[in-house]
Amino acid sequence: MRSADDPDSLDLDRATREFTGARPQLFGIAYRVLGSAAEAEDIVQEAWLRWQKADRTEIREPAAFLATVTARLAINLARSARVRRESYTGPWLPEPVDTSADPQLGAERAEALDLAVLFLLEKLNPVERAAYVLREAFDYPYRRIADILETSEANTRQLVSRARKHLSAERREPVGCDEHRRLLKVFLAAARTGSLSVLEDVLTADVVSYSDGGGVRGASRIPVIGRTHVSKYLAAFAPRFWPEADTRWVEANGRPAVLVSAGGEAVALLSVDVSARGIEHIMWVMNPAKLSPYVDSLDS
């Protein structure tokens, strides 16, 4: 048995404290790059194992070392995840997280956290995604990001610039939380009653509704596009879905959302992307593998 003042024991204690202090940031990096809380947890666990095995006497900045390991592991996993998601049944949506306790999710700023943004980031290659996340959410200097990505500072700036342009081209400026909640409340009431006129009033002309059931639940396997199609789809859906449903207002990824349950079991998380024009995207997370961990985090 080692004594309390044993050098190895003291070193492990210090290493544990350093890792614990960095953990929220590590999870925040991995989650934003991967869009999956479960995969992010796996990455953080692997980072811990590598931290334990590392020669820590040679590491001057533990947090920087851990962030580098985490980002590189996340990029590698994102490359393989991209292939898996191409064969995913129906639309793939990011796994929601409860941000009520940590609005920034371990970052300097709550950037690259909104479900709609994570969904768009999935269209970038993993290196572009990581560069954008490290710059916009964690405010890393370009030189440091370049070191993490093992590229030049000039190329890093180009990666971040391309990601910014992609997001600005694909997404309109979102409204504040109060207006977001108001529109979601109006939308929810209209969806429950099947009110076509109200739905058409709050939806944009090119609105898209995504339902992520992962092939497990009876969700639409293709996106529904356009105000008329989405409104009619929701109106037809209403009599079968809503009569037995209970709703609970929650927070997911920094935005108001609605948890829908039936018979005491969560069946969907409803979130929307809202601009000054109205509701741009409707996202229904119905896959139990994504929904259950989120519900557990709410109740823990």
Side-chain angles (χ1 to χ4, degrees), residues 135-181:
R135 180 62 183 173
E136 297 301 310
F138 295 87
D139 199 26
Y140 279 17
Y142 284 106
R143 177 70 264 164
R144 185 175 172 191
I145 300 172
D147 290 342
I148 291 173
L149 301 181
E150 299 180 294
T151 187
S152 68
E153 186 173 343
N155 188 48
T156 299
R157 290 180 181 275
Q158 291 179 348
L159 290 170
V160 175
S161 178
R162 284 202 298 268
R164 285 173 177 161
K165 288 177 181 177
H166 171 77
L167 289 176
S168 63
E170 293 285 331
R171 189 188 188 213
R172 291 176 174 82
E173 184 69 24
V175 298
C177 274
D178 288 344
E179 179 63 6
H180 185 111
R181 178 180 285 270

Side-chain angles (χ1 to χ4, degrees), residues 18 56-65:
E18 288 167 338
R56 294 185 293 275
T57 61
E58 299 294 319
I59 299 171
R60 294 183 179 181
E61 297 182 47
F65 172 85

Side-chain angles (χ1 to χ4, degrees), residues 91-104:
W92 178 91
L93 291 174
E95 182 181 336
V97 290
D98 176 23
T99 48
S100 58
D102 181 5
Q104 313 283 69

Side-chain angles (χ1 to χ4, degrees), residues 116-128:
V117 173
L118 289 173
F119 179 67
L120 291 176
L121 286 178
E122 183 70 14
K123 298 179 182 180
L124 301 176
N125 72 55
V127 176
E128 287 176 331

